[in-house]
Amino acid sequence: MISLKPYNTFRLDHYCEELHFIHSERNILDLIPFVSAPLVIGGGSNILLTKDHTAPVLINEVKGKEIVGHDDESVIVKLGGGENWHDAVLWAVENDLGGIENLSLIPGKCGAAPIQNIGAYGVEIKDVFERLDAIDLDTGSKCYFNNSECQFGYRNSVFKNAQKGRYFILHIYLRLTLPQHHSLNLEYGKVAEIIGAKKITSPTISDVSEAIIEIRQTKLPDPDLIPNCGSFFKNPIIPQKQYERLKTKHAGIPSYNYAEGWEKIPAGWLIEQCGWKGKIKNGVGCHKDHALVICNYEAQYGRQIERYYKDIINSVSKVYGVVLEPEVNIL
């Protein structure tokens, strides 16, 4: 048995019987005839392991960062599914290619980005996503998905639903802007405030990236120091009428307009109001500075974290009638 502790940022000591590192398309094609229903892991930064796995585990190590197409306004970049996402963002910024600077310092690998439709500070991967290529783990055939075929939603895609676990993502392709066509998104959080404090009057994508890195390093605990998976829950999206009813009972409840007739409620606020911020039970707790981050302080197994997050869901539901949904994949 092989420990998966080094391959998940909760540092949970669950095991598998087989572990394979996939560096190329040839690797995965050679392996498929000999494995059944494998579990694919990228950076392990968005998974909660709750058991040992008898199925083979595949670690995505497919590398590569290159420009493969361009027009007058943008370029198409090809990123290996096993590339570190933040490294890919820094590469884009260093090459003055815009569109993903707001997604700086998000942990994980590029292959997981479309699965999760990662997003932060007003930007989601779907905004720049062109296509991906993948291997069907059932048939061994090579497949392609464009933006619409991924069925992107809020922290969601077809790969988390109907096609969960079926595909090994080899490469993703993003359309990024050339310098004269950059469009900066400074509206979310304290990005504009930080840039303004530095007296930067004409910010660049590098300035935006640096500001977001600063914010994230201040707000979120380093998983190398305190094992965690970042934001554990999605921010719930509820009908406008439900939000108006909540406001009459709970003065000060914050929200952001998500779409016509829908409001997004900060999950961290709900969790904190229910008394979970900094609360530790059986070696698991919400971080003292950020209620949305569940940390593994002493837990060895995923079931301990599972019990904790389910208690939070029940607590928030009882007080606010809002059901939180994990952003993290439960395996």
Side-chain angles (χ1 to χ4, degrees), residues 90-98 176-180 182 204-206:
L90 294 182
W91 173 81
V93 170
E94 288 165 3
N95 285 278
D96 211 0
L97 303 176
L176 304 181
T177 55
L178 290 168
Q180 60 271 32
H182 291 337
T204 64
I205 60 171
S206 180

Side-chain angles (χ1 to χ4, degrees), residues 114 125-132 145 147 150 152 173-174:
I125 192 72
K126 70 176 179 62
D127 300 331
V128 296
F129 184 86
E130 282 286 305
R131 64 186 188 276
L132 64 79
F145 289 81
N147 193 306
C150 289
F152 289 125
Y173 299 78
L174 309 179

Side-chain angles (χ1 to χ4, degrees), residues 69-91:
H70 65 87
D71 57 29
D72 291 340
E73 297 183 0
S74 61
V75 299
I76 303 296
V77 300
K78 176 183 178 182
L79 304 172
E83 284 284 352
N84 177 276
W85 172 258
H86 180 57
D87 288 348
V89 173
L90 294 182
W91 173 81

Side-chain angles (χ1 to χ4, degrees), residues 141-168:
S141 60
K142 193 169 185 178
C143 305
Y144 304 88
F145 289 81
N146 62 27
N147 193 306
S148 63
E149 289 168 334
C150 289
Q151 298 177 26
F152 289 125
Y154 172 55
R155 303 298 177 269
N156 206 359
S157 72
V158 69
F159 305 107
K160 289 185 73 173
N161 296 291
Q163 305 298 344
K164 185 174 183 178
R166 181 170 176 177
Y167 295 96
F168 183 95

Side-chain angles (χ1 to χ4, degrees), residues 251-293:
I253 183 170
S255 76
Y256 305 94
N257 182 254
Y258 181 74
E260 186 175 353
W262 296 88
E263 293 289 321
K264 182 191 293 185
I265 312 296
W269 187 90
L270 297 172
I271 295 165
E272 182 174 349
Q273 295 302 306
C274 289
W276 289 94
K277 186 176 182 180
K279 184 175 183 177
I280 299 175
K281 293 173 62 177
N282 300 318
V284 183
C286 289
H287 193 262
K288 63 181 180 62
D289 296 325
H290 200 317
L292 195 52
V293 180

Side-chain angles (χ1 to χ4, degrees), residues 77-307:
V77 300
K78 176 183 178 182
L79 304 172
E83 284 284 352
N84 177 276
W85 172 258
H86 180 57
D87 288 348
V89 173
L90 294 182
W91 173 81
V93 170
E94 288 165 3
N95 285 278
D96 211 0
L97 303 176
I100 55 175
E101 58 276 359
N102 288 50
L103 305 180
S104 296
L105 211 61
I106 292 179
K109 294 185 177 179
C110 291
I115 295 174
Q116 192 71 10
N117 186 22
I118 58 171
Y121 300 97
V123 174
E124 293 180 316
I125 192 72
K126 70 176 179 62
D127 300 331
V128 296
F129 184 86
E130 282 286 305
R131 64 186 188 276
L132 64 79
D133 52 51
I135 298 297
D136 187 327
L137 294 170
D138 290 342
T139 67
S141 60
K142 193 169 185 178
C143 305
Y144 304 88
F145 289 81
N146 62 27
N147 193 306
S148 63
E149 289 168 334
C150 289
Q151 298 177 26
F152 289 125
Y154 172 55
R155 303 298 177 269
N156 206 359
S157 72
V158 69
F159 305 107
K160 289 185 73 173
N161 296 291
Q163 305 298 344
K164 185 174 183 178
R166 181 170 176 177
Y167 295 96
F168 183 95
I169 296 176
L170 293 169
H171 306 96
I172 66 171
Y173 299 78
L174 309 179
R175 182 176 292 276
L176 304 181
T177 55
L178 290 168
Q180 60 271 32
H181 297 285
H182 291 337
S183 177
L184 304 186
N185 188 328
L186 309 177
E187 305 306 314
Y188 199 100
K190 296 184 177 180
V191 180
E193 179 183 324
I194 288 176
I195 290 175
K198 296 178 180 179
K199 302 188 185 310
I200 298 171
T201 55
S202 299
T204 64
I205 60 171
S206 180
D207 295 324
V208 174
S209 176
E210 289 174 7
I212 286 168
I213 290 170
E214 183 178 331
I215 294 169
R216 292 183 70 92
Q217 287 178 332
T218 301
K219 288 178 59 178
L220 301 172
D222 185 340
D224 288 335
L225 301 177
I226 305 175
N228 72 87
C229 278
S231 298
F232 193 91
F233 295 101
K234 300 178 183 180
N235 291 320
I237 298 167
I238 64 173
Q240 177 75 38
K241 290 182 178 179
Q242 181 182 357
Y243 173 67
E244 294 298 333
R245 290 195 298 270
L246 279 173
K247 277 205 305 185
T248 63
K249 295 176 61 178
H250 306 280
I253 183 170
S255 76
Y256 305 94
N257 182 254
Y258 181 74
E260 186 175 353
W262 296 88
E263 293 289 321
K264 182 191 293 185
I265 312 296
W269 187 90
L270 297 172
I271 295 165
E272 182 174 349
Q273 295 302 306
C274 289
W276 289 94
K277 186 176 182 180
K279 184 175 183 177
I280 299 175
K281 293 173 62 177
N282 300 318
V284 183
C286 289
H287 193 262
K288 63 181 180 62
D289 296 325
H290 200 317
L292 195 52
V293 180
I294 295 178
C295 298
N296 177 12
Y297 293 105
E298 295 179 341
Q300 186 175 2
Y301 303 112
R303 294 294 183 191
Q304 294 167 264
I305 296 175
E306 185 176 42
R307 285 194 293 271

